[in-house]
Amino acid sequence: MIFDTTLYLTVLITLFVIMDPPGAIPVFLSLVGRKSKEARNKAAWQAPAVSLTVITVFAIGGQAILNYLHIGIPALQGAGGLLLLIIALSLLTGRGAGGGSEAEDVNVALVPLGTPLMAGPGAIAAVIVYVSQADGNVGSLIAIALAIVTIHLVFFLVLRFSTVLIRILGEGGITLLARIAGLLLAAIAVQLIADSVRGFITGG
């Protein structure tokens, strides 16, 4: 068994570009900015944990799951795009940046942070492809697994330490950030839906 350093770096860089940890900061702050410090810190580790769980499940049996349910990557992209669009509209209209109940804390970590923002169609598809290319090679599979764990550690550190910006932004800054995050999420959602349509056309 030989650890594949090149594959580790390739998967890590690919996931970093697709998942974009710095790009998640505006969305994260807009969703947790008005919550307590404990709730913010909780969401900072819950969201990567949810994403890690989802991506791990798809890494292990993703292709089998998609085949069993007769779901293609374009369908996954379309569903993720629609879900993000709903969240984006709530942020743009001011209904998604507040709240303080425990249920909302958990939901923020699950949706949209954990999935589909982190564990989105792009990241899931990339992991499935890399695992299939590994073809059972233990060294390659370990490299892929370590890359997945590493990117989620990066996510945790980015989200955890981004909360210091809340004191600088203040109430008005968080509201503005929520609108900007909503616009960015809407753009991502539209792109996912466009990719989904393109995938259905070319696949068909």
Side-chain angles (χ1 to χ4, degrees):
M1 182 189 72
I2 301 175
F3 180 76
D4 195 335
T5 305
T6 302
L7 179 60
Y8 167 77
L9 293 175
T10 301
V11 176
L12 180 61
I13 292 171
T14 301
L15 291 179
F16 187 91
V17 171
I18 293 174
M19 298 172 75
D20 189 19
I25 293 176
V27 181
F28 177 73
L29 293 181
S30 68
L31 290 170
V32 305
R34 294 185 177 88
K35 300 181 186 297
S36 66
K37 181 179 179 180
E38 291 74 17
R40 295 196 301 265
N41 292 341
K42 183 179 180 182
W45 70 260
Q46 273 189 334
V50 169
S51 176
L52 178 60
T53 302
V54 171
I55 288 184
T56 300
V57 168
F58 276 95
I60 295 173
Q63 195 60 60
I65 293 172
L66 295 182
N67 290 341
Y68 178 76
L69 297 175
H70 305 291
I71 297 173
I73 296 300
L76 209 58
Q77 289 174 319
L82 291 174
L83 184 56
L84 281 181
L85 189 59
I86 293 172
I87 302 296
L89 292 175
S90 69
L91 286 172
L92 286 169
T93 55
R95 296 194 303 270
S101 69
E102 187 67 20
E104 287 177 329
D105 292 340
V106 175
N107 288 337
V108 163
L110 292 173
V111 179
L113 293 174
T115 182
L117 191 61
M118 294 184 190
I124 290 172
V127 167
I128 291 175
V129 169
Y130 279 121
V131 170
S132 64
Q133 289 176 347
D135 198 25
N137 183 281
V138 177
S140 298
L141 292 175
I142 290 176
I144 295 170
L146 285 178
I148 292 172
V149 171
T150 302
I151 191 64
H152 286 91
L153 285 175
V154 171
F155 251 116
F156 166 70
L157 292 174
V158 168
L159 297 184
R160 176 65 179 81
F161 291 104
S162 69
T163 56
V164 300
L165 295 173
I166 293 175
R167 292 194 295 270
I168 301 173
L169 293 172
E171 187 75 15
I174 292 172
T175 300
L176 176 62
L177 202 60
R179 302 299 185 270
I180 295 173
L183 184 60
L184 293 174
L185 271 186
I188 294 172
V190 170
Q191 185 62 56
L192 279 174
I193 294 172
D195 291 341
S196 173
V197 173
R198 191 180 301 113
F200 278 119
I201 292 174
T202 56

